[in-house]
C-alpha cells in the first residue's frame, strides 16, 4: 500500500498514477474522505475519553446534587465513547479496505498506455534466418514430440487442458535449467530457497495478488489457503511482521517452486503446447533493499536476467512495460522477451518489478536504521520460467533433422550432452 501521508500531501500525484494505470481515479477521493473521517473520529474519541477520565476523578469528591449531575454526565459519556469508538473502527476499516484497492505509484519514467504501448530499450542476439538455412522451423510441440520430451495429450487426459508431462530429455532439460539458474543466482550472492506452494490469505493479499490478479489465483476453500502463482509470494511474506537491521541489507533470495495460474483471461490464447499453462516450475529472484536503493537494485535484477538469457544463446529484447500493464504492486517493470521463430515475434520469458515500499507496508516489514524504523523496498525478478524457456530453447536451437543443440551453459547439467536427438523420425 502507499503512504497515507503522501496521499494527503499530493493527491494529484496519486490520481495521475491511477489514471495511468487505467484504474478508478474516484477511489482517491473516497480514500481521502475515509481517512478524514478516521482521523476526526479518532480525535473525537480521544477527547471524550479524556473527559471521561477527568470526570472519574471528580465524582468521588462530589456530593449531593453536584454528584448526581456528574453521574448523569458519566452515563452519557459512556454511550458517547462507545459510539465514537465504533465510528472510529468503522472509518479505520473503510480506510484500510480502500487503501488495499489502490495500486502502487507508477514511476514517472514508465510509458503511459496499455499492453502494446511498451518501449523497447535493448535488443540482443541474432534472429536465425531458417529460409537461408534451407528448412522450415518446427514449433516447440512438434520438436518436443520428436525428442520424446513433451506429452500434452496425456497431460490433458490426466488433468485437463493446459497441463502436460515433461518426459525423458524434457524432464532432464528442466532439471538442467533449474540447476544452472540456481548456480548463477548463488554465484551472484542469492540464497537458494525451496518455498511453500500454499500460503495464507494475508501472504497473498500482502503481495498484491488478490486485487486485479485474483481471477488467476487458485483458492482451496476448505483450508483457506492459496496456491502461489510465483514464489514471489512466500519470499515476500518470509519476513512478514519483522524489523530487519539495516546492516543486513540487501537480502537476496532465489526461490524455486511450482507455480499455479488459472489463466482465466487467456481463453483461446496459446492453447498449443506448453507456452501458457496452469502449472509450471520457476526460479524467482527476490530482493529486500533500502528504499533509496530500489532503482539501482532493479537494474541489477535486469542485468542478471540478461546474463541468463545470453548464456542460453537466445535472441531477446528488453521492454519498459507500459503503465496499464503493470501489476498493482509494481512501480516499474522490465520484461525480457525471447524471439519465438514459429510465432515470428518476441514473447515474455522473464520480468522484473520494483515494488518500492508497497508490499512491505502491507506485510509490515520494516528496516531499523539507527533510531529510525521505516518500511523497506522489495523487488522481484524471474530468472527461469521453465516451460517458456524450454519453448525458446527448442525453437531457436533446432536443427534440420529435428535435433536440438544444447547451449553450453546447460551441458554440464546434461552429462555433457551437446545435442538432443529425436527418439523417432
Amino acid at each position: 500500500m502507499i503512504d497515507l501521508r503522501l496521499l494527503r500531501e499530493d493527491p494529484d500525484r496519486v490520481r495521475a498514477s491511477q489514471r495511468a494505470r487505467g484504474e478508478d481515479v474516484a477511489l482517491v477521493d473516497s480514500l481521502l474522505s475515509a481517512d478524514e473521517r478516521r482521523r476526526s473520529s479518532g480525535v473525537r474519541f480521544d477527547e471524550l475519553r479524556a473527559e471521561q477520565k477527568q470526570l472519574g476523578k471528580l465524582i468521588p469528591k462530589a456530593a449531593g446534587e453536584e454528584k448526581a449531575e456528574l453521574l448523569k454526565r458519566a452515563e452519557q459519556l459512556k454511550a458517547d465513547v462507545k459510539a465514537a469508538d465504533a465510528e472510529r473502527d468503522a472509518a479505520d476499516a473503510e480506510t484500510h479496505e480502500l487503501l488495499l484497492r489502490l495500486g502502487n505509484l507508477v514511476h514517472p519514467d514508465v510509458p503511459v498506455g496499455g499492453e502494446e504501448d511498451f518501449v523497447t530499450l535493448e535488443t540482443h542476439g541474432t534472429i536465425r534466418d531458417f529460409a537461408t538455412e534451407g528448412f522450415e522451423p518446427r514449433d516447440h510441440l512438434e520438436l518436443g514430440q520428436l525428442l520424446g520430451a513433451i506429452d500434452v495429450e496425456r497431460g490433458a487426459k490426466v488433468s485437463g487442458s493446459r497441463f502436460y508431462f515433461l518426459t525423458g530429455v524434457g524432464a532432464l532439460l528442466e532439471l538442467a535449467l533449474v540447476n544452472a539458474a540456481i548456480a548463477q543466482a548463488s554465484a551472484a550472492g542469492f540464497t537458494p530457497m525451496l518455498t511453500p506452494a500454499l500460503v495464507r490469505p494475508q501472504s497473498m493479499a500482502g503481495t498484491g495478488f488478490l486485487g486485479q490478479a485474483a481471477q488467476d489465483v487458485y483458492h482451496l476453500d476448505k483450508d483457506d489457503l492459496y496456491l502461489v502463482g510465483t514464489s514471489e509470494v512466500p519470499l515476500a511474506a518470509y519476513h512478514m511482521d519483522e524489523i530487519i537491521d539495516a546492516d543486513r541489507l540487501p537480502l537476496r533470495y532465489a526461490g524455486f517452486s511450482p507455480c499455479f495460474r488459472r489463466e482465466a483471461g487467456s481463453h483461446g490464447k496459446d492453447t498449443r503446447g506448453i507456452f501458457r499453462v496452469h502449472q509450471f516450475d520457476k526460479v524467482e529472484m527476490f530482493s529486500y533493499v533500502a528504499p533509496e536503493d530500489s532503482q539501482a537494485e532493479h537494474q541489477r535484477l535486469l542485468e542478471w536476467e540478461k546474463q541468463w538469457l545470453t548464456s542460453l544463446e537466445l535472441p531477446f529484447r528488453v521492454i519498459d512495460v507500459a503503465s496499464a500493464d503493470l501489476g498493482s504492486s509494481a512501480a516499474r517493470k522490465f520484461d525480457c522477451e525471447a524471439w519465438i521463430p514459429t510465432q515470428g515475434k518476441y514473447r515474455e520469458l522473464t520480468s522484473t518489478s520494483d515494488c518500492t515500499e508497497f508490499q512491505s507496508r502491507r506485510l509490515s516489514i520494516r528496516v531499523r536504521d539507527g533510531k529510525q524504523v521505516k518500511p523497506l523496498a522489495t523487488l522481484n525478478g524471474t530468472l527461469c520460467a521453465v516451460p517458456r524457456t524450454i519453448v525458446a530453447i527448442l525453437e531457436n536451437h533446432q536443427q534440420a533433422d529435428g535435433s536440438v543443440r544444447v547451449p553450453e551453459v546447460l551441458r554440464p547439467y546434461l552429462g555433457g550432452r551437446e545435442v538432443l536427438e529425436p527418439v523417432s523420425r
Side-chain angles (χ1 to χ4, degrees):
M1 62 183 73
I2 68 167
D3 188 346
L4 269 174
R5 287 175 298 179
L6 189 151
L7 176 72
R8 297 181 205 120
E9 293 167 4
D10 195 357
D12 285 341
R13 181 183 170 193
V14 184
R15 290 187 186 99
S17 178
Q18 283 289 97
R19 194 173 295 112
R21 286 181 172 278
E23 299 288 340
D24 183 11
V25 178
L27 179 61
V28 178
D29 293 311
S30 298
L31 181 52
L32 284 168
S33 177
D35 180 48
E36 176 55 36
R37 288 196 302 276
R38 181 184 67 88
R39 289 190 293 157
S40 61
S41 61
V43 170
R44 168 74 172 155
F45 175 80
D46 291 341
E47 289 173 345
L48 289 170
R49 281 289 291 141
E51 185 181 351
Q52 194 178 42
K53 289 178 182 178
Q54 185 62 31
L55 203 62
K57 295 176 183 178
L58 295 176
I59 289 173
K61 301 175 183 178
E65 193 173 312
E66 181 188 4
K67 187 167 187 174
E69 285 295 322
L70 290 174
L71 287 170
K72 183 178 178 182
R73 175 60 182 155
E75 281 297 313
Q76 182 59 51
L77 270 175
K78 183 180 178 181
D80 291 346
V81 166
K82 185 177 180 180
D85 190 26
E87 184 181 349
R88 181 188 61 174
D89 287 348
D92 189 61
E94 183 183 1
T95 301
H96 187 70
E97 188 272 330
L98 291 171
L99 194 55
L100 288 176
R101 288 168 51 192
L102 201 65
N104 200 356
L105 292 180
V106 174
H107 188 282
D109 292 341
V110 169
V112 175
E115 185 177 356
E116 300 302 321
D117 296 311
F118 61 84
V119 171
T120 301
L121 301 176
E122 309 168 29
T123 303
H124 297 264
T126 302
I127 295 172
R128 286 174 65 183
D129 186 345
F130 286 95
T132 300
E133 294 183 37
F135 73 98
E136 184 77 18
R138 298 175 171 91
D139 75 4
H140 74 276
L141 183 57
E142 184 179 353
L143 289 163
Q145 291 169 338
L146 282 172
L147 297 169
I150 301 171
D151 191 335
V152 294
E153 290 183 0
R154 290 186 177 90
K157 177 179 72 174
V158 171
S159 302
S161 64
R162 298 190 191 272
F163 287 94
Y164 60 97
F165 284 86
L166 292 181
T167 58
V169 293
L172 295 176
L173 185 54
E174 157 148 356
L175 295 172
L177 283 165
V178 170
N179 278 288
I182 289 292
Q184 179 190 300
S186 298
F190 286 80
T191 300
M193 305 273 275
L194 297 178
T195 64
L198 289 166
V199 297
R200 292 175 170 175
Q202 57 265 45
S203 299
M204 191 67 81
T207 43
F209 284 91
L210 293 186
Q212 63 186 169
Q215 65 171 353
D216 282 330
V217 175
Y218 284 100
H219 182 229
L220 280 65
D221 292 320
K222 184 176 180 180
D223 306 285
D224 197 19
L225 292 171
Y226 289 90
L227 283 165
V228 300
T230 165
S231 59
E232 173 193 344
V233 177
L235 291 173
Y238 185 65
H239 289 294
M240 181 168 54
D241 299 322
E242 294 181 20
I243 298 175
I244 299 168
D245 289 331
D247 60 8
R248 293 182 61 198
L249 298 180
L251 289 172
R252 298 188 178 111
Y253 302 117
F256 172 69
S257 76
C259 306
F260 303 87
R261 300 184 184 180
R262 288 187 181 278
E263 297 291 354
S266 64
H267 180 72
K269 296 179 182 177
D270 299 308
T271 54
R272 180 173 168 81
I274 62 170
F275 190 84
R276 191 184 298 272
V277 290
H278 290 309
Q279 178 185 341
F280 60 96
D281 294 327
K282 180 156 70 85
V283 177
E284 180 82 2
M285 300 179 289
F286 197 89
S287 300
Y288 295 85
V289 302
E292 60 272 18
D293 196 34
S294 73
Q295 291 186 51
E297 184 72 1
H298 199 196
Q299 291 295 328
R300 294 183 198 107
L301 290 170
L302 177 59
E303 288 302 316
W304 283 313
E305 291 179 346
K306 288 159 55 180
Q307 176 188 336
W308 171 245
L309 295 179
T310 299
S311 75
L312 295 177
E313 304 168 45
L314 297 173
F316 68 96
R317 70 180 180 185
V318 180
I319 66 169
D320 199 347
V321 175
S323 55
D325 201 28
L326 296 173
S328 64
S329 298
R332 193 175 193 182
K333 182 168 79 163
F334 301 125
D335 282 357
C336 291
E337 300 182 328
W339 180 257
I340 306 299
T342 61
Q343 295 185 22
K345 57 185 176 181
Y346 290 98
R347 301 298 304 272
E348 179 194 338
L349 241 60
T350 74
S351 68
T352 176
S353 298
D354 181 359
C355 297
T356 62
E357 302 165 30
F358 188 82
Q359 292 176 330
S360 66
R361 289 182 182 277
R362 296 164 74 105
L363 292 166
S364 189
I365 309 169
R366 294 168 291 169
V367 58
R368 180 186 287 109
D369 191 358
K371 293 183 178 179
Q372 187 181 21
V373 176
K374 61 182 182 180
L376 45 66
T378 62
L379 302 95
N380 63 81
T382 309
L383 190 54
C384 181
V386 172
R388 290 190 176 197
T389 306
I390 288 176
V391 169
I393 287 172
L394 295 185
E395 294 210 10
N396 282 284
H397 296 318
Q398 64 179 291
Q399 302 181 111
D401 63 355
S403 63
V404 174
R405 186 178 63 82
V406 177
E408 275 193 42
V409 70
L410 298 180
R411 292 175 187 175
Y413 305 98
L414 284 166
R417 195 175 320 199
E418 297 182 6
V419 176
L420 304 180
E421 298 283 357
V423 294
S424 62
R425 294 181 184 274

